[in-house]
Amino acid sequence: MKRLFSGIQPSGDLHIGNYLGAIRNWVRMLTEYDCIFCIVDYHAITISYEVETMQSRIINAAAECIACGLNPDECTIFVQSHVPEHTELAWIFNTVTPMGDLGRMTQFKEKSEQHKQNVNVGLFDYPVLQAADILIYKAEAVPVGQDQIQHIEFSRRVARAFNSRYGETFPEPFHLTPNIGRIMGLDGKSKMSKSLENHISLSDSPEAIKKKLATAVTDINRKRRNDPGNPEICNILTLHRLLSTEKEIEYVGTECRKAGIGCIECKMILAKNMTAELEPIRERARELKENPERVREVLEAGKRRCRTIAAETVREVKTKMGLL
Ligand code: SF4
């Protein structure tokens, strides 16, 4: 079985974009790959955060991943900072990484813009730690969204640079990017994000889902109920495609184009389907959050397995580099 690695930020309650864009696909890969999933707390601290809430954010993210279907009997889930070999390997990778490669990273430019008060070295070095996260497990498959493809290509370059300097050690990882369209936030402007308050949380109640969808931006050119709409530029149709039946998607698309359906009716069909999908997840997550010890046991088991693999890789790397 090839190994698969992916990470998720401990940004509190996960949202529907995390689920539909990432975790739901991870669940489908459990039988195909040896899957390792990481709560990336060291990445999370590259922007300002509340120290008091970090532990609960980590537990909540893990609980929700498990509730979404990442069965700990079928995969490994752990916390990045519990395996210190990640940062050790990242330091080693720093020495085979040209500064210019990091300066060209789109995410660094965007985050530097968003967090002008805190443009730190960790933010700049983020892709190197990400390369270490993946390569320390010699993972080959990395499921990511479109915006992370550049970082996976960067990881390939790091693997190549290390292999050519010190001998064949790492596979060059490939990205697995689902063809599902970009899930925008409810504001219709940016990617769905917890920090931008444009999201629907996995923990939202059916009423909250309806309320949030009711205010979501649609085709901005469709100003009145009688105006025909263009569903292809509407985020609501993107979500329908991920949650509704073929018949409903066809109905909504056709009726929208001839003004046969209003946006509220269209959104309420989506709300019904979203609620049906999220209800069992919300219930399982609630049970797990009430029993954080159960979640900690999963993370502890993940740490034990990952430390064994990571220590072995670091030993091999240091030997090849003449450090052991
Ligand atoms: Fe979007 Fe649906 Fe309104 Fe069409 S009817 S613009 S798909 S919300």
Side-chain angles (χ1 to χ4, degrees):
M1 246 188 187
K2 281 189 175 155
R3 189 165 284 156
L4 174 149
F5 179 93
S6 203
I8 193 148
Q9 292 265 354
S11 44
D13 292 339
L14 302 180
H15 56 66
I16 189 90
N18 300 131
Y19 174 65
L20 297 173
I23 303 169
R24 195 165 70 164
N25 291 312
W26 297 355
V27 174
R28 292 172 183 152
M29 292 168 190
L30 291 180
T31 52
E32 216 181 312
Y33 293 94
D34 169 14
C35 293
I36 299 181
F37 301 111
C38 180
I39 312 289
V40 291
D41 54 348
Y42 271 165
H43 287 298
I45 61 171
T46 57
I47 57 171
S48 303
Y49 69 101
E50 282 176 33
V51 173
E52 301 74 26
T53 61
M54 182 53 99
Q55 275 308 306
S56 62
R57 283 165 49 189
I58 291 169
I59 296 296
N60 283 0
E64 292 198 337
C65 282
I66 298 167
C68 287
L70 296 184
N71 179 352
D73 293 335
E74 295 179 278
C75 64
T76 302
I77 307 173
F78 76 107
V79 180
Q80 189 181 27
S81 66
H82 293 181
V83 183
E85 287 84 357
H86 284 233
T87 43
E88 193 174 0
L89 186 61
W91 178 259
I92 289 169
F93 283 167
N94 276 332
T95 66
V96 295
T97 301
M99 291 275 286
D101 277 16
L102 289 174
R104 280 191 286 278
M105 289 290 145
T106 309
Q107 183 177 286
F108 173 67
K109 291 180 192 161
E110 284 175 3
K111 287 208 170 171
S112 308
E113 223 11 74
Q114 283 167 13
H115 305 278
K116 283 198 176 89
Q117 306 309 315
N118 184 18
V119 183
N120 57 70
V121 176
L123 201 56
F124 184 69
D125 207 29
Y126 191 115
V128 178
L129 180 56
Q130 199 174 20
D133 297 337
I134 298 164
L135 295 175
I136 205 160
Y137 302 107
K138 300 193 177 182
E140 292 176 75
V142 190
V144 288
Q146 286 288 341
D147 58 339
Q148 286 293 312
I149 291 176
Q150 191 187 32
H151 283 191
I152 306 312
E153 284 164 357
F154 173 84
S155 297
R156 293 170 64 84
R157 284 201 298 282
V158 171
R160 222 173 295 146
F162 186 93
N163 291 347
S164 97
R165 173 77 179 84
Y166 298 107
E168 202 59 30
T169 308
F170 297 108
E172 290 186 27
F174 56 86
H175 64 87
L176 292 170
T177 303
N179 188 16
I180 56 169
R182 198 161 187 225
I183 302 169
M184 301 298 286
L186 302 178
D187 55 7
K189 287 188 215 144
S190 333
K191 193 176 150 184
M192 192 174 281
S193 158
K194 179 90 182 165
S195 57
L196 294 178
E197 291 299 330
N198 64 359
H199 63 280
I200 293 174
S201 292
L202 297 188
S203 56
D204 276 341
S205 65
E207 296 69 35
I209 291 173
K210 272 190 198 164
K211 216 164 144 191
K212 286 185 178 180
L213 281 178
T215 61
V217 170
T218 60
D219 169 8
I220 50 166
N221 297 316
R222 191 178 187 204
K223 299 206 173 3
R224 287 173 295 269
R225 168 70 176 78
N226 292 337
D227 295 338
N230 179 359
E232 294 310 323
I233 58 165
C234 179
N235 194 36
I236 298 298
L237 188 76
T238 305
L239 292 168
H240 268 298
R241 286 192 172 125
L242 295 165
L243 289 162
S244 301
T245 63
E246 286 295 324
K247 211 169 149 195
E248 285 167 328
I249 299 164
E250 176 67 29
Y251 168 73
V252 163
T254 310
E255 294 301 314
C256 172
R257 281 185 203 92
K258 55 183 191 187
I261 185 174
C263 290
I264 288 294
E265 187 193 338
C266 175
K267 288 170 170 182
M268 289 310 112
I269 297 171
L270 178 62
K272 166 186 72 87
N273 295 335
M274 196 178 280
T275 298
E277 179 96 9
L278 295 192
E279 199 62 12
I281 294 175
R282 205 158 63 99
E283 186 51 30
R284 284 195 296 270
R286 189 187 57 73
E287 282 169 22
L288 285 162
K289 287 176 194 175
E290 282 173 9
N291 293 289
E293 275 316 308
R294 168 79 191 105
V295 179
R296 285 196 189 96
E297 278 167 23
V298 169
L299 297 175
E300 184 59 32
K303 175 179 97 173
R304 281 198 299 273
R305 177 172 187 233
C306 288
R307 281 212 77 174
T308 305
I309 303 170
E312 180 55 39
T313 304
V314 168
R315 200 166 21 251
E316 180 188 355
V317 163
K318 286 167 88 170
T319 303
K320 286 186 170 160
M321 295 177 75
L323 297 170
L324 274 183

